[in-house]
Amino acid sequence: MSRFGFARTIAHLEQCKLVLRNEVKSVMVKLRCHGRENMGTRLFIAENVPQLRYRNPAIPISLQRKKVDESEVVVVFADGREDVVKTSNLMPEEIMAELDSRYSGQSSYSDKKV
């Protein structure tokens, strides 16, 4: 990878300013394998999940591609409770905005939107 390619990759990863709260233990993205309503979730996985991992290195973020009824993001807290964000028919920006509004330790995603 050239220096320009590396710099461009880092710049892309740093676009995400969403730092999850300290109470968040893990995040699991469940993708329904079939259906056009999941295109936003697929793009979220390709574009935003690497950014979230970069910005939140201590929080495991996993992907699950199985037969589920609906695509969703499951956020697990340190006390064991789980919260679900339904992602069907949402675009990646909407998914990120929803995560920011619910789980941000320092809100800035909606301010950073380019």
Side-chain angles (χ1 to χ4, degrees), residues 4-72:
F4 178 72
F6 181 76
R8 189 174 54 206
T9 299
I10 294 299
H12 173 71
L13 292 173
E14 289 177 343
Q15 285 179 353
C16 174
K17 300 297 182 194
L18 175 57
V19 176
L20 298 171
R21 285 188 276 176
N22 293 334
E23 302 90 47
V24 175
K25 181 180 175 183
S26 67
V27 176
M28 182 179 359
V29 181
K30 295 182 179 182
L31 176 66
R32 183 171 179 243
C33 293
H34 303 289
R36 297 179 75 72
E37 69 276 0
N38 298 306
M39 186 51 69
T41 307
R42 292 176 193 277
L43 292 172
F44 172 76
I45 290 169
E47 294 291 322
N48 300 111
V49 168
Q51 293 174 336
L52 282 171
R53 285 179 174 155
Y54 179 80
R55 191 58 66 188
N56 301 279
I59 299 174
I61 300 175
S62 61
L63 306 175
Q64 187 179 55
R65 291 182 174 102
K66 292 189 176 182
K67 292 184 178 181
V68 293
D69 294 334
E70 188 174 1
S71 293
E72 59 192 18

Side-chain angles (χ1 to χ4, degrees), residues 79-109:
D79 62 5
R81 66 186 166 93
E82 294 183 357
D83 198 12
V84 177
V85 176
K86 301 293 184 185
T87 60
S88 294
N89 297 315
L90 293 180
M91 294 308 296
E93 304 84 33
E94 296 170 311
I95 297 170
M96 285 297 288
E98 186 66 26
L99 292 175
D100 184 40
S101 69
R102 292 188 187 191
Y103 313 112
S104 178
Q106 56 186 44
S107 181
S108 61
Y109 183 78

